[in-house]
Amino acid sequence: MEQIRLDLDDLKAFFVVAETGSFARAAERLETSKSIISRRVARLETTLSARLLHRTARGTHLTEGGALYYEQARQAMSQLEFAGENLAESNADLSGPIRLTGPVFFGHEYLEPVLAEFARHYPKIELDVDFSDDKLDLHSEGLDIAVRVGQLSDSNLTVRRLCQSGRVVVASPSYLAQMPPLQSPADLDKHVILHYNGTHTQDLWRYRYDGRTHSLKVRPHLRSNSPGMLLSAVKAGVGIMVMPVYVAGAAIQSGEVEEVLADYDWGLTEISLILPHGKNTTRRVRSLVDFLLLKFHNKFS
């Protein structure tokens, strides 16, 4: 059988097109031109005597054979990249890029000082941090780590629990002074409800009491996917809300808001570290994962 000689740049171009679904985005990621990416992919297809991609006006998609080749070849390429990066890192201080994304509120309030400390400890590591409430795709965006808040739906990811935050019901003193007293969750139907819809598509508040789980249907006066905006509304006396301690904790301590219905268990919010599944983790990425796990251990307990 004739030996096939592959060009690693052709392979890399194919991988990035497959992951982004676009020759233009692949060119942007690899900092080259669209025509060069197209030429590299065409050359790979000629070398393999196989069509790897369908090109249409609506985008670029893997053929059946292309999908199979991508899965097998990507693993082999990851092993090569992993070996090369670890060899370089074993011969020098940790260096190279790490791309991380996280939600805006949690990022500004908690990740920023920790990442700044990490950057000071590892001056040769190039941190690229993108705070966004969009659930960015790790593979297509070329991300190494994502911090996610709430329940995870994608099982094709490597997950590490960063920490947990209890949830509390809070309102401002001025709001509570002018509204009917709260003895139990049933009294909430007389109150103005604020609701976070970033991870909850249904207008339900769940809690545990006497060993049983209860669901309470609410009619929100205000919905938002921004914890910061909702906290501002609670402080301003707009209404009452269930929110994680990591959002409300400082305002509770300052007296700007008060916790109510504290005899009821309003559950936990999970905060997780996500890594791309099937991608070998370099020493520099592992160092950041370990650093974050250390800093957030029992953070909100």
Side-chain angles (χ1 to χ4, degrees):
M1 178 182 292
E2 183 180 352
Q3 185 176 10
I4 296 177
R5 297 185 180 277
L6 298 174
D7 187 304
L8 293 182
D9 288 333
D10 295 349
L11 278 171
K12 186 173 292 187
F14 165 64
F15 294 148
V16 179
V17 172
E19 290 161 3
T20 61
S22 164
F23 280 82
R25 286 196 291 271
E28 183 179 350
R29 169 90 67 82
L30 295 174
E31 298 181 341
T32 187
S33 69
K34 182 180 174 181
S35 62
I36 289 177
I37 295 295
S38 181
R39 189 159 59 246
R40 286 175 177 170
V41 171
R43 187 166 58 197
L44 178 63
E45 289 179 322
T46 300
T47 300
L48 297 172
S49 300
R51 188 71 175 270
L52 301 174
L53 297 165
H54 285 305
R55 302 163 180 81
T56 69
R58 306 180 88 181
T60 303
H61 309 281
L62 289 166
T63 64
E64 184 177 349
L68 179 62
Y69 184 75
Y70 172 82
E71 290 298 327
Q72 296 177 346
R74 193 71 185 92
Q75 291 181 17
M77 176 65 90
S78 294
Q79 291 285 354
L80 284 173
E81 293 172 342
F82 180 66
E85 290 173 352
N86 270 354
L87 179 62
E89 290 174 353
S90 67
N91 293 327
D93 294 335
L94 291 176
S95 62
I98 300 177
R99 296 198 65 208
L100 177 145
T101 184
V104 174
F105 184 89
F106 190 83
H108 289 330
E109 294 294 321
Y110 298 102
L111 288 174
E112 283 180 0
V114 174
L115 293 174
E117 184 179 354
F118 179 83
R120 183 171 60 83
H121 281 297
Y122 297 99
K124 293 184 180 181
I125 288 180
E126 304 152 23
L127 278 179
D128 184 345
V129 180
D130 182 356
F131 290 140
S132 171
D133 290 326
D134 294 331
K135 298 294 190 294
L136 301 177
D137 182 82
L138 275 68
H139 288 283
S140 63
E141 298 292 337
L143 293 161
D144 298 297
I145 305 172
V147 178
R148 295 273 168 84
V149 173
Q151 188 173 359
L152 302 173
S153 57
D154 190 347
S155 60
N156 193 32
L157 295 167
T158 301
V159 181
R160 299 284 303 273
R161 176 187 288 172
L162 183 63
C163 56
Q164 292 178 315
S165 175
R167 290 197 286 264
V168 291
V169 180
V170 291
S172 71
S174 61
Y175 171 88
L176 293 171
Q178 63 185 354
M179 297 298 290
L182 280 163
Q183 304 295 332
S184 75
D187 297 325
L188 287 167
D189 63 357
K190 308 180 187 72
H191 284 257
V192 180
I193 302 297
L194 313 183
H195 187 63
Y196 177 70
N197 62 7
T199 56
H200 304 94
T201 55
Q202 296 179 316
D203 295 335
L204 291 175
W205 287 7
R206 292 185 173 87
Y207 63 94
R208 286 185 62 81
Y209 187 70
D210 283 342
R212 296 174 57 196
T213 299
H214 304 263
S215 294
L216 180 69
K217 182 72 174 177
V218 295
R219 297 182 62 185
H221 171 68
L222 172 62
R223 297 182 183 87
S224 177
N225 68 346
S226 168
M229 188 269 178
L230 290 165
L231 179 60
S232 295
V234 172
K235 290 179 181 179
V238 175
I240 191 167
M241 182 175 172
V242 176
M243 57 176 49
V245 170
Y246 82 81
V247 177
I252 293 173
Q253 290 184 358
S254 68
E256 293 174 281
V257 304
E258 295 179 9
E259 182 181 359
V260 295
L261 300 175
D263 292 334
Y264 300 82
D265 179 1
W266 296 94
L268 295 169
T269 294
E270 295 279 351
I271 303 156
S272 307
L273 292 180
I274 310 298
L275 289 80
H277 182 69
K279 180 179 178 181
N280 289 302
T281 306
T282 62
R283 284 180 58 230
R284 63 176 177 272
V285 172
R286 289 201 305 273
S287 70
L288 178 53
V289 169
D290 291 342
F291 193 83
L292 291 170
L293 292 173
L294 176 65
K295 291 295 180 179
F296 284 93
H297 179 64
N298 292 331
K299 175 75 174 179
F300 304 110
S301 298

